[in-house]
Amino acid sequence: MTRFRLTLAQLNPTVGDLRGNAAMARAAWQQGRAAGADMVALPEMFLPGYQCQDLVMKPAFVADCQRVLEELAADCADGPALGIGLPWFEGAELFNIYAVLERGRIGARVVKHHLPNFNVFDEERYFASGDIHGPTAMGPLRLGIPICEDAWHGDICETLAETGAELLLVPNGSPYFRGKREMRLTHMVSRVVETGLPLVYLNMVGGQDDQVFDGGSFVLNPHGRLVVQLPAFEEVIAHVDFTQGPEGWEAEPGEMAHLPDEWELDYRVMVEALRDYLRKSGFARVLLGLSGGIDSALVAVIAADAIGAENVRCVMLPSEYTSTASLEDAAGVARALGCRLDELPIGGPRAAVTEALAPLFVGTEPDLTEENIQSRLRGLMLMALSNKFGEMLLTTGNKSEVAVGYATIYGDMAGGYNPIKDLYKMRVFETCRWRNANHRDWMKGPAGAVIPQRIIDKPPSAELRADQKDEDSLPPYPVLDRILELLVDEDASIAEIVGEGFAPEDVRRVEQLVYTSEYKRFQSAPGARLTRRAFWLDRRYPIVNRWRDRGEE
């Protein structure tokens, strides 16, 4: 019986670390050679890391990629073929290619045809579209290689099948958003049904800025039967055997990893995004302001799960408006996690600033200005600790607050990363409940109810004035979040949102807050992307914008 062994390297590259990524590819190739593989496959754009954004427009960077590829080909001469993705100049045009290295040289170069230009992708800005290509001879079979987006359209796979492909290998750089796995599987099953060919979907893992590549590579046999499922988020080297029978090639059944539910996936993304952002940018420790509220509590838990509680510093910065319950709750979180908790009262600095401003504020009444001074003093003191001790400051605003600007620029928005930036407030509550009830091996924090129930139950408050509650200035969070989902995530009109039963004055007020807060988001820290409409690359609005949805008025 004729066999073909394909080694899949579901690994975590780092953008710009060409030689480090090549070393990972070389190690995977060595494992494949030891296992008797005919080919070792790495994901799309693995050599430079993904996404490189405008880095690929720098000719010196692309030239360095090509030099490293040639070195890798020479190192991997005696053994299986090695497939790896990178940017490639052909004349004056830049392409996204998948190179096959064989016998010490660069063999086939497959060029991506369909260039995604939506959500976080801007490939038409960087790359030229390649011609539709045929299959590549690989050992005993002919291998079709539709690169990522090419497999989301039927034409490439159809052409490959018509020109003799016997197996489809789809190298990907596919980042997570909620519901993405089902979408991937549906599209790939369609390609299998249309062509009658087995298909290998190979994704990378790891975080890059706001995006997390969630792995979950899989193999489908003809008729769309799932026969190999690799785990989500984990680095894996897997060997898949294909055999040729009377009906063509089929994969032998292999690992069938359990895939988590939506809540675990979202939480894992926030943990992995923070973990890799820190590791890849050179930070080992973090700090955050722990207020006794639910958002900072959740961020503290995510940080502990990402890098261990011993590397997390929590700081309570109380004022005269900080309740005894908040002090107790902050201490309860730090104690449950095993994190360090420092206390830095802001009363003295606030009095000094108030005194300094008094001559200019004479004749005015206290207002939002005085509230923002408190927040900015906290940001100042936290950044001082960050600078002094080399700990990255985490900011803790949820998507609801980020959307409507319920945060102080240069105050509680100060920081280098925001793990919950794409998590609406109601999901914050549910995520806390989920984490209290669940623990996994990949979590470095302790098991159990690490967030006191009182934090989850109490009404949210910024505690910047006496008896303050978030709902004093915002609609109740169940109302606010649904309006925001419709307005931001679904691009619904004001009329459509009102048609769901929301008060017109609430909807228009939220719309106004979203548009006028764009300048804050423009200056905000990056954060983990969980949805298809995360703030940053998924949603790009002008900072100055006078348009408002008035329907047919």
Side-chain angles (χ1 to χ4, degrees), residues 538-552:
D538 284 307
R539 183 184 181 278
R540 310 178 201 188
Y541 272 65
I543 296 171
V544 175
N545 165 31
R546 289 192 177 182
W547 182 83
R548 300 294 182 269
D549 183 359
R550 295 294 177 258
E552 299 180 0

Side-chain angles (χ1 to χ4, degrees), residues 95-233:
F95 295 97
N96 178 337
I97 77 160
Y98 196 74
V100 179
L101 312 182
E102 294 184 277
R103 295 181 294 278
R105 63 180 181 83
I106 302 169
R109 295 195 303 269
V110 177
V111 180
K112 192 172 184 177
H113 176 71
H114 289 291
L115 302 175
N117 213 62
F118 50 82
N119 295 118
V120 297
F121 298 105
D122 293 297
E123 291 208 359
E124 290 183 10
R125 173 180 171 86
Y126 308 121
F127 301 115
S129 171
D131 295 332
I132 296 179
H133 49 84
T136 299
M138 183 59 55
L141 54 70
R142 293 176 62 79
L143 182 66
I145 308 177
I147 303 172
C148 198
E149 187 73 13
D150 285 344
W152 290 64
H153 302 266
D155 56 345
I156 303 294
C157 293
E158 180 182 3
T159 298
L160 287 166
E162 290 174 350
T163 52
E166 297 169 287
L167 168 65
L168 299 175
L169 168 64
V170 187
N172 287 266
S174 179
Y176 173 86
F177 59 73
R178 200 175 296 138
K180 184 74 170 284
R181 172 179 158 70
E182 292 75 13
M183 188 179 296
R184 291 174 185 145
L185 190 59
T186 297
H187 279 276
M188 296 309 109
V189 167
S190 295
R191 301 294 87 82
V192 169
V193 170
E194 292 161 2
T195 63
L197 300 178
L199 180 147
V200 177
Y201 182 97
L202 174 60
N203 197 15
M204 62 177 63
V205 293
Q208 172 59 33
D209 297 341
D210 63 322
Q211 296 163 48
V212 171
F213 299 90
D214 55 319
S217 304
F218 56 86
V219 179
L220 298 170
N221 266 339
H223 309 296
R225 187 164 69 93
L226 183 69
V227 290
V228 176
Q229 175 64 67
L230 299 188
F233 305 104

